[in-house]
Structure formats: C-alpha cells, structure tokens
Amino acid sequence: GAGVSQSPRYKVAKRGQDVALRCDPISGHVSLFWYQQALGQGPEFLTYFQNEAQLDKSGLPSDRFFAERPEGSVSTLKIQRTQQEDSAVYLCASSLASGAYGYTFGSGTRLTVV
Amino acid sequence: KQEVTQIPAALSVPEGENLVLNCSFTDSAIYNLQWFRQDPGKGLTSLLLIQSSQREQTSGRLNASLDKSSGRSTLYIAASQPGDSATYLCAPAFTGNQFYFGTGTSLTVIP
C-alpha cells in the first residue's frame, strides 16, 4: 500500500479484556517496529521484526504483550488481560531495510482501558 | 537505553521568526537520525533523515544538522508559519534496528 495502515484507529477495552492491534506495512518493507506512546511522552520502543523474525522484543513491558508477523508482512500486537496502564497510542513503523532509508509511521491505534 | 533530550520542551513564537530546536543524545556511535513532526492525535510524519556520514540535510524551510562528536542535532525552521505548529521529535538510531525518541518540542507559531 501507499502508507503504513493501522487498525483499529481507536479501541476501548474493559480492564481484563484481550485486544489485538493490526499493522499493515508498506509493501516490500522488510523491517517493522512497534512503539508505545503515553500521553505527553515520546514513543517508546516495544519490538522489531525483520521479515517474519522477531529480532528484538526487549521493550515489551510484560508477558501480557505479544507480537507476531507470521508471513513477513502484516503484524499483530496482542495485549492480554489489559490494565489501565496499557492505555496509550500504539504506533507501527516500517522501513525498506535496516533503517538506512528512514522509517514510515502509521497513524496509530489509541487504546483506552476502562 | 539511550537518553535523548530535546530542548526547549515548548516554544511559542510569532509568525515569520526563525527558530532552532535542539536534540542531544548520550552515545556518539550514531547510525542515522530522523526528525519527525506530530500533529495532535496523529501519527508521525518524517521531515528529514541524516546519515551518520552527513553533517546536514535541507528540505524547503527546514535544515537539520548533526554533530556526532558532541552528540547533538539541531532542526532549524526558517520563516515560521502557523502551519508549522506541532510537536517535533528527534529519533537517533544507534544500531539501525532500533531508534529512540526524545519527549519532543511543542511548537506554537502565533499568526
């Protein structure tokens, strides 16, 4: 596609509910990143894929967070048993290679846990 | 984790003024650095990308410089316009696989 597409745009979840956030990167982009942005803060790294391989998941805050990219294109970030502190904007970015050409971000998914 | 600091945190200027946004980082072994703008409730829009071998990049009224030895980058905006109002984020990459953000500079250009 022409840009990075994320869905849903907004998600309201009850505490304890599981959620799945989708990222559709630019076609042909090898690298895919997930970031979490709390209100008033800069984005914080969560995890990184190169094709289908998850090369770095050091930023995932707990074992309730899980990301996958099974066919090396679309990625899903899953959060189990959501808690209020998970409320944030989740941003996805993709890059043609290892970042040498910069990164393109999607519009994000705003998650609110009530 | 790399520390990325952006100064000032907020800036309000009258239209037409030239301005400089600052970004500093703790590790000089930088791979590249990207400047983004973020409008309220929106995603990030890439403005400029500087490779570690470059000292500056220009796009229209924007000019970004990179000084690896001092761990600094600046974004210069010439002849500011109300449409420039947004949050500006710098994101240095140290491995090529992960890049870190500062907390941003919130810019308001007053007509």
Side-chain angles (χ1 to χ4, degrees), chain B residues 11-91:
Chain B
L11 183 62
S12 184
V13 300
E15 181 177 2
E17 199 162 290
N18 302 326
L19 54 100
V20 175
L21 309 181
N22 297 290
C23 172
S24 61
F25 39 91
T26 53
D27 189 343
S28 61
I30 194 169
Y31 182 78
N32 60 36
L33 184 144
Q34 199 162 358
W35 281 92
F36 295 89
R37 75 173 273 169
Q38 186 172 33
D39 294 280
K42 301 289 180 63
L44 279 69
T45 301
S46 178
L47 298 173
L48 289 164
L49 170 68
I50 310 177
Q51 301 295 343
S52 60
S53 58
Q54 299 174 318
R55 292 190 63 84
E56 65 179 81
Q57 279 284 347
T58 298
S59 176
R61 295 182 294 107
L62 305 179
N63 175 274
S65 66
L66 175 63
D67 184 343
K68 287 191 300 180
S69 61
S70 65
R72 295 179 188 277
S73 177
T74 61
L75 179 66
Y76 176 82
I77 303 177
S80 58
Q81 302 172 358
D84 295 332
S85 298
T87 295
Y88 290 79
L89 294 154
C90 74

Side-chain angles (χ1 to χ4, degrees), chain A residues 2 10 26 28 35 44 54 57 62 88-89:
Chain A
Y10 303 94
I26 293 173
Y35 280 75
E44 295 276 348
Q54 189 174 20
K57 56 181 180 180
S62 76
V89 175

Side-chain angles (χ1 to χ4, degrees), chain A residues 54-110:
Chain A
Q54 189 174 20
L55 298 186
D56 188 342
K57 56 181 180 180
S58 62
L60 296 177
S62 76
D63 59 7
R64 297 185 296 104
F65 286 71
F66 172 77
E68 61 182 6
R69 193 185 185 198
E71 297 178 0
S73 54
V74 171
S75 177
T76 303
L77 177 66
K78 298 179 180 178
I79 308 173
Q80 297 176 325
R81 304 181 302 282
T82 52
Q83 301 176 5
Q84 281 193 314
E85 59 262 31
D86 299 336
S87 296
V89 175
Y90 291 85
L91 295 164
C92 176
S94 70
S95 176
L96 189 59
S98 61
Y101 304 100
Y103 309 90
T104 303
F105 277 83
S107 298
T109 293
R110 180 177 297 277

